[in-house]
Amino acid sequence: MTTTHNIETVMATVEYKGAHLDKLLAAFAPARVIQVDRRDSAAMAEALKVADVAVLAGDLDERFLDAPKLRWIHCDHAGLNKSARPEVFEKGLLVTSSAGRSGPVLAEHVMFFALALAYRYPLFYEAQKEHRWGVPGQDAQRGLFGKTMGIIGLGNTGKELAVRASAFGMRVLGYRRSDTPAPSGVDRLYCEERGDTLDELLQESDVVALVVPLSDSTHHLIGERELGLMKRSAHLINLARGAVIDEQALLAALRSGTIAGAGLDTFATEPLTADSPLWDAPNTLVTPHFTPAVPDRIGRSLDIIAENAKRYRAGETMVNLLTAKDVYTKG
């Protein structure tokens, strides 16, 4: 039986203004929307006494778990691992995210790493600064065309990445949890629900891209064993969360030449400490958990929020809904 929901009062800590605020109000109309500064604890406490829906600029905490009327929480960012607590499901809360709003540029970020590593661009940039023509070993380099990319995680970013890697003439292998049809651009699909493992993807890929959510099941998904299965010429790229990789095992693999290099945008501890050995790991590129924005990122978030408001009222499955399989307790 479908359960529909009324929306009476929305507490919003997102700092939307102008046309974006108008769009937020329209998505929830005729409900009352209370805008609250997330740094104002007293105002939040008052709003949470009456709110049945919350739109948050950050993650949920105990205040939201204890709110008497709250039924749906939308976190206006992609990863929900900090909100993926067992208590959420014990309380019967619905939690959604804005995953997908930046999918196209996150996919670009993977391709940036893949190209820079394949072209050994840091070496050429150093040569440029020294006015030196070329670098040792350049004749042995090969581009991405004809190589294999393994994409672990075929959500919004993974799907965007598959299309881009395919456009570069790469063979694309994909791994996902659910046994559903392969998205566009994926040449071969592996599924956890079919009993597939990562082994074959890791063994065949020249580039392994991590774009999977962090949960208990993906914590340290890539460790010493998995790195040992990869080609010595392969590159590992992480645009997921730092804890998806065992960083000590990765550091050892980079130093020993077990894999050829890495592109890392996320880390187990952020900001990455100044004394972290990952800064100086061989053939490793580091970005500070930062990807350039898509045009009107807030507008793209609002499209997701408006769609979910409609689905919530109709009792339909919501976009980017947290499930029990997403629980993360190891952080």
Side-chain angles (χ1 to χ4, degrees):
M1 181 178 175
T2 299
T3 303
T4 60
H5 304 277
N6 292 324
I7 300 176
E8 296 181 359
T9 305
V10 179
M11 186 196 77
T13 66
V14 289
E15 298 176 356
Y16 294 165
K17 299 176 182 177
H20 289 137
L21 177 57
D22 291 342
K23 191 171 180 179
L24 180 71
L25 298 176
F28 289 111
R32 175 190 179 201
V33 177
I34 306 172
Q35 276 195 293
V36 178
D37 186 331
R38 60 176 169 169
R39 297 170 287 274
D40 189 338
S41 298
M44 287 184 65
E46 284 301 309
L48 284 173
K49 291 178 181 178
V50 295
D52 47 291
V53 173
V55 180
L56 307 181
D59 295 286
L60 64 84
D61 55 36
E62 283 74 15
R63 293 174 296 180
F64 303 97
L65 293 172
D66 295 335
K69 296 185 178 181
L70 203 56
R71 295 294 176 266
W72 167 32
I73 301 171
H74 182 86
C75 299
D76 191 29
H77 52 77
L80 287 175
N81 50 285
K82 292 182 179 179
S83 296
R85 308 171 175 211
E87 304 95 295
V88 166
F89 302 99
E90 293 167 8
K91 296 275 187 177
L93 287 171
L94 299 173
V95 180
T96 58
S97 77
S98 290
R101 66 179 182 178
S102 298
V105 290
L106 291 169
E108 287 178 11
H109 199 147
V110 174
M111 296 307 297
F112 158 75
F113 274 144
L115 285 165
L117 290 164
Y119 281 64
R120 300 173 70 202
Y121 182 68
L123 296 182
F124 283 93
Y125 185 54
E126 288 303 314
Q128 176 187 333
K129 291 192 291 184
E130 297 170 7
H131 300 187
R132 179 165 40 88
W133 191 253
V135 300
Q138 66 185 36
D139 291 341
Q141 289 179 224
R142 296 292 180 269
L144 297 179
F145 180 82
K147 289 185 176 179
T148 297
M149 177 177 284
I151 303 173
I152 300 176
L154 288 170
N156 296 291
T157 300
K159 291 174 184 175
E160 296 278 1
L161 178 56
V163 172
R164 285 155 180 76
S166 181
F168 271 73
M170 301 186 77
R171 175 178 176 240
V172 179
L173 309 179
Y175 183 90
R176 69 172 6 153
R177 185 167 59 194
S178 57
D179 184 6
T180 53
S184 177
V186 175
D187 297 296
R188 183 163 184 183
L189 180 65
Y190 302 90
C191 302
E192 180 184 340
E193 289 182 353
R194 290 204 302 251
D196 298 332
T197 70
L198 288 173
D199 292 8
E200 191 169 333
L201 179 148
L202 293 170
Q203 291 166 344
E204 294 189 19
S205 297
D206 300 291
V207 179
V208 174
L210 301 173
V211 287
V212 68
L214 176 60
S215 65
D216 284 350
S217 64
T218 61
H219 179 88
H220 285 191
L221 182 69
I222 303 298
E224 181 180 6
R225 176 186 174 278
E226 290 75 25
L227 291 162
L229 292 174
M230 292 173 61
K231 299 178 182 180
R232 293 182 69 85
S233 59
H235 296 127
L236 178 67
I237 296 173
N238 188 15
L239 251 75
R241 288 292 184 267
V244 171
I245 300 176
D246 179 340
E247 289 182 344
Q248 292 304 309
L250 173 61
L251 187 62
L254 290 166
R255 287 173 169 172
S256 66
T258 300
I259 64 172
L264 307 174
D265 183 56
T266 59
F267 304 88
T269 299
E270 294 181 354
L272 190 63
T273 58
D275 61 352
S276 171
L278 287 171
W279 289 108
D280 302 306
N283 301 316
T284 297
L285 302 177
V286 170
T287 52
H289 201 154
F290 170 80
T291 297
V294 295
D296 195 13
R297 186 174 73 162
I298 293 176
R300 290 170 65 90
S301 284
L302 282 162
D303 288 341
I304 296 169
I305 293 169
E307 177 64 23
N308 269 339
K310 182 178 71 174
R311 295 188 183 200
Y312 178 76
R313 284 171 163 139
E316 298 171 353
T317 302
M318 299 168 76
V319 178
N320 299 335
L321 180 65
L322 188 72
T323 72
K325 292 183 178 179
D326 300 315
V327 165
Y328 184 56
T329 60
K330 299 182 179 181

